[in-house]
Amino acid sequence: DKYVRFFTKKFNNEFPSLSPLEQEAMVVRSLQKLVKDFGTHEYGFNLSIEKYVEYFSDETARILPNILEANLPRGLHWTHTTKTDIAFAAYYALSLIYKKSGNTNELKSLTEQRYTTFSAHYPLTSEVLARYYKRTGKYERALECDQDVIDELGDQGIVNYGPCISYASTVCRMYDSGLFVSTQQIDNAETYIQAAIEFNPDYAKYYYLRGKLAFYKAQNIAENGDFLA
């Protein structure tokens, strides 16, 4: 199979000798190929993600397999069953990498090119859109997108915590930027970040976000009373 040969050559022969930046660039190119070719081969996707997780120890790499496995539609697991599913998983993974690197232009291009392709069947497409809105300062739109994902996935949207983290961190960013944040939004964010903590209790950032949200809530009540809408 030509795709097995392509990805085997890329990752088994070339990857180990590259610098970390070059390794990440190779992963990105491989995922871009999978999105462009509409999920040409599951083998290439699994190798791309396997190498990303293996070589990059940040939180994005570590949680990516859990998020994808938990949130792909129709109960899919790490073994994907259709080319469309593989293409969507590559699209979702790329959006995380672009967000981590601060590459707003690539995130914008990816969102514009593929949002309509996936939005009808993959709820997490709205989470990708939320990443773009957050990067461009459109925080209310980002919250709406994250809430759409959580509502559509129901209990699964809470248990599988990608949109929960996004919602809570957006609320914190809004508050720190001096934008209006309602008590309801803070309550939602507290619920969602607690779900993330229960899912992954070893990540310190989630406790930091929870502490900030508790402070914001107390400050809101002190300044406006507990009737703030």
Side-chain angles (χ1 to χ4, degrees):
D1 185 295
K2 65 179 180 178
Y3 291 104
V4 172
R5 291 197 300 273
F6 170 80
F7 285 107
T8 298
K9 178 183 177 182
K10 285 290 183 185
F11 285 111
N12 291 351
N13 299 340
E14 301 175 23
F15 195 84
S17 63
L18 300 177
S19 71
L21 285 177
E22 290 171 330
Q23 289 172 342
E24 184 163 11
M26 181 180 286
V27 169
V28 168
R29 288 195 300 271
S30 298
L31 293 172
Q32 287 171 335
K33 177 178 177 61
L34 290 166
V35 174
K36 181 179 178 181
D37 293 347
F38 217 67
T40 305
H41 207 286
E42 176 185 337
Y43 180 83
F45 175 78
N46 284 332
L47 259 183
S48 300
I49 299 304
E50 174 187 318
K51 292 301 180 184
Y52 188 72
V53 173
E54 179 180 345
Y55 282 83
F56 301 96
S57 59
D58 59 41
E59 178 69 356
T60 297
R62 199 176 64 76
I63 69 174
L64 181 58
N66 291 335
I67 291 176
L68 287 175
E69 182 171 346
N71 287 291
L72 283 171
R74 299 191 304 281
L76 293 175
H77 297 292
W78 197 230
T79 300
H80 308 288
T81 58
T82 74
K83 291 182 178 182
T84 309
D85 296 326
I86 300 165
F88 172 74
Y91 167 81
Y92 185 90
L94 269 177
S95 74
L96 277 171
I97 294 170
Y98 289 150
K99 176 193 172 188
K100 185 203 76 169
S101 64
N103 197 332
T104 304
N105 289 335
E106 289 290 354
L107 183 58
K108 180 177 184 289
S109 177
L110 180 73
T111 303
E112 291 176 344
Q113 290 174 12
R114 291 298 182 180
Y115 178 79
T116 55
T117 303
F118 299 118
S119 59
H121 303 290
Y122 298 87
L124 285 184
T125 308
S126 291
E127 188 186 344
V128 175
L129 188 58
R131 292 190 186 112
Y132 169 66
Y133 284 142
K134 190 187 297 188
R135 288 292 310 173
T136 54
K138 299 175 182 176
Y139 299 127
E140 286 286 354
R141 296 293 302 276
L143 285 184
E144 291 171 5
C145 289
D146 285 326
Q147 191 63 58
D148 285 346
V149 178
I150 292 167
D151 291 343
E152 187 164 355
L153 291 175
D155 290 341
Q156 192 181 40
I158 296 293
V159 173
N160 304 314
Y161 58 112
C164 297
I165 300 166
S166 179
Y167 188 103
S169 63
T170 300
V171 166
C172 289
R173 187 170 298 184
M174 288 173 65
Y175 204 101
D176 289 342
S177 300
L179 302 175
F180 174 77
V181 181
S182 72
T183 297
Q184 183 61 59
Q185 288 171 327
I186 295 175
D187 287 343
N188 290 343
E190 284 186 316
T191 298
Y192 300 151
I193 202 62
Q194 185 59 38
I197 289 171
E198 291 173 5
F199 196 94
N200 178 17
D202 299 323
Y203 192 51
K205 181 180 178 181
Y206 302 158
Y207 297 94
Y208 172 70
L209 289 174
R210 186 174 67 178
K212 292 184 74 170
L213 291 165
F215 171 76
Y216 300 153
K217 188 173 184 178
Q219 192 171 49
N220 262 352
I221 292 173
E223 293 177 357
N224 303 287
D226 60 6
F227 54 83
L228 185 62

